[in-house]
Amino acid sequence: RRRATQERANAQAAKPSSTRAAGAGGSSSTMLKLYTDEASGLRIDPMVVMVLSLGFIFSVVALHVLAKLYSKYFK
């Protein structure tokens, strides 16, 4: 009994406990590499991304307002 119980415990310990540990759904080592300092590529501060996003949103809204004004007064 002890041997069978010990063999079952060892078999369960050898199995991965999740699909990520088993490698299903993509390689987790690749995902982790994207967020490390060793990853090559463009590094941008989050504040810069926020300012650029807000600037883009503002420019789209401004173009919509200008188009409305143009169609109202110049056509």
Side-chain angles (χ1 to χ4, degrees), residues 54-68:
L54 291 175
F56 176 74
I57 292 169
F58 176 74
S59 68
V60 169
V61 170
L63 286 173
H64 277 286
V65 169
L66 288 175
K68 287 281 187 182

Side-chain angles (χ1 to χ4, degrees), residues 2 9-10 12 15 18 23 28-29 31-32 34-37 43 45 50-51 60-61 63-65 68 71 74:
R2 286 184 186 174
N10 288 341
Q12 285 180 348
K15 288 182 188 176
S18 68
S28 59
S29 64
M31 284 300 293
L32 291 175
L34 292 175
Y35 300 105
T36 60
D37 291 335
R43 292 185 183 91
D45 189 43
M50 181 67 81
V51 169
V60 169
V61 170
L63 286 173
H64 277 286
V65 169
K68 287 281 187 182
S71 66
F74 294 110

Side-chain angles (χ1 to χ4, degrees), residues 44-55:
I44 301 177
D45 189 43
M47 189 59 113
V48 173
V49 173
M50 181 67 81
V51 169
L52 290 174
S53 301
L54 291 175

Side-chain angles (χ1 to χ4, degrees), residues 66-75:
L66 288 175
K68 287 281 187 182
L69 291 174
Y70 180 78
S71 66
K72 185 175 182 178
Y73 291 113
F74 294 110
K75 283 206 171 191

